Amino acid sequence: MMGGDFAPLEAVKGLRLYLSEKADAVSLFLFGDKGQLTSLLAEHGIHSKQIQIIHAPEVIGMHEHPTKALKEKQQSSIAVGFYWLATGKIDAFISAGNTGAMLVGAMFSIKVIDGILRPAIASIIPKENGKTGVLLDVGLNADCKPENLSQFAVLGSLYAQYILGIEKPRIGLLNVGEEEGKGNLLAQASYPLLKQNSQLNFSGNIEGRDILLDRVDVMVCEGFTGNVVLKMAESIYDITKAKEIEHEFLDRFNFEYYGGTPVLGVAKPVIIGHGISQEKAFKNMIAVAVKMIETGLLTKIKASFTGHPNA
């Protein structure tokens, strides 16, 4: 609750928004300063029996060193939240706090699923025809091996299938040309692995111009390229707002529409929100976490990697 530029107010408003739209039996545990949270909940008329406050008085700043901060601030909302997740007291954890601390916590408190070489973070990309696609990795792994991209494709495919409801997701390798054999050494070596992977519906290479078109459902790349694409997509929304350009397609570039970024490949659901998240983003982060639990996505990911360390 203490993570993000507008914490904890916007997180509280996001809770109110979620509870006003959902009547499901979800228990919400709020990690943060009990005094502040109690006052804000009362101020915004939130008296739900579904909510429990867990006092965590320390705060990890957005620019603190992640590993050092987690070690030194064990009573921070992020550290306490990951402890509760690791010990099974909660089923999923979300925060818009220090991204590095969230990633360190996810990988060292929760651990990576057996068989997965590296976890990835995925982002939703709006398509021009109203559909949505998945892009990964978008920043966790700046340098990758071909085996990593093959695994990212499996993770993205499962996410698209069970969270976005796409029955047989089409996989594309982000490249500088459509033909097999194009690209740098990573792309050239990744193509045959993706093509041979029986778990994937591989459609071949895609180019940058295909990202917003309905060519594929899952777009795979290393985190360096993925992060550049993601940040460019975010700037499109900022520019349209600044110039007062209104269009339903452009509105879908608002990150709050999707909530947060899931860390795929760790053993439990972890959702990382943007530092400037406001109420709509927090509401949607909760919704994504709930869907990951209800669909059994993590169980399906674990099953997909059993006996397939490179698939």
Side-chain angles (χ1 to χ4, degrees):
M1 295 297 289
M2 312 309 291
D5 294 352
F6 308 111
L9 175 60
E10 291 298 325
V12 169
K13 290 164 65 178
L15 282 172
R16 181 182 62 185
L17 193 57
Y18 179 81
L19 292 170
S20 71
E21 296 180 5
K22 304 285 184 179
D24 47 22
V26 173
S27 298
L28 298 164
F29 295 84
L30 315 185
F31 300 95
D33 183 274
K34 189 169 186 177
Q36 287 189 60
L37 296 181
T38 301
S39 176
L40 281 170
L41 290 173
E43 182 181 331
H44 288 82
I46 302 173
H47 306 288
S48 174
K49 294 180 180 179
Q50 296 171 238
I51 290 176
Q52 181 177 335
I53 298 174
I54 311 301
H55 186 51
E58 295 181 310
V59 177
I60 295 177
M62 298 300 276
H63 301 292
E64 289 191 62
H65 187 279
T67 306
K68 182 181 179 182
L70 278 174
K71 184 177 180 181
E72 294 179 353
K73 294 184 174 180
Q74 296 188 14
Q75 289 303 305
S76 64
S77 53
I78 290 179
V80 176
F82 272 117
Y83 173 77
W84 275 57
L85 185 61
T87 53
K89 294 180 179 180
I90 55 175
D91 299 303
F93 183 49
I94 70 173
S95 175
N98 185 301
T99 300
M102 286 294 291
L103 292 171
V104 170
M107 289 189 284
F108 294 100
S109 298
I110 309 306
K111 308 299 184 185
V112 176
I113 292 170
D114 288 343
I116 294 180
L117 301 172
R118 291 186 188 179
I121 50 179
S123 182
I124 301 297
I125 300 294
K127 299 289 189 176
E128 55 85 25
N129 63 350
K131 296 183 179 180
T132 51
V134 181
L135 174 69
L136 75 170
D137 179 50
V138 294
L140 185 53
N141 306 280
D143 295 296
C144 291
K145 296 179 179 180
E147 292 81 6
N148 300 136
L149 296 196
S150 180
Q151 292 195 343
F152 296 167
V154 174
L155 291 170
S157 180
L158 291 168
Y159 190 83
Q161 184 177 352
Y162 292 103
I163 304 303
L164 301 182
I166 301 171
E167 189 172 341
K168 194 175 182 183
R170 301 159 295 170
I171 313 299
L173 175 64
L174 190 56
N175 209 330
V176 296
E178 294 183 358
E179 302 83 6
E180 184 173 353
K182 283 277 190 175
N184 57 15
L185 293 176
L186 175 62
Q188 291 177 28
S190 299
Y191 192 103
L193 287 184
L194 294 167
K195 188 176 181 180
Q196 295 161 16
N197 193 326
S198 61
Q199 298 184 70
L200 301 175
N201 177 24
F202 183 52
S203 298
N205 289 326
I206 62 165
E207 298 179 280
R209 62 185 175 184
D210 300 317
I211 292 173
L212 303 180
L213 302 179
D214 191 26
R215 283 285 309 279
V216 296
D217 304 298
V218 179
M219 297 158 280
V220 180
C221 59
E222 90 294 339
F224 185 95
T225 299
N227 192 263
V228 171
V229 172
L230 176 62
K231 295 299 171 60
M232 187 191 71
E234 289 181 355
S235 75
I236 291 174
Y237 179 74
D238 293 338
I239 291 169
T240 60
K241 292 294 106 177
K243 294 185 178 294
E244 298 182 348
I245 301 171
E246 297 293 335
H247 193 281
E248 59 181 12
F249 173 62
L250 297 174
D251 288 343
R252 295 176 64 224
F253 282 84
N254 182 356
F255 73 90
E256 295 210 345
Y257 189 88
Y258 310 104
T261 301
V263 183
L264 298 178
V266 294
K268 295 186 179 182
V270 175
I271 311 291
I272 301 175
H274 202 298
I276 58 172
S277 292
Q278 297 189 40
E279 60 180 302
K280 185 176 180 181
F282 281 103
K283 181 206 76 171
N284 288 328
M285 276 191 273
I286 298 170
V288 170
V290 170
K291 197 164 188 179
M292 288 179 73
I293 296 166
E294 290 180 342
T295 59
L297 177 63
L298 274 296
T299 300
K300 293 172 173 66
I301 289 176
K302 290 172 185 176
S304 293
F305 285 89
T306 302
H308 298 282
N310 296 318

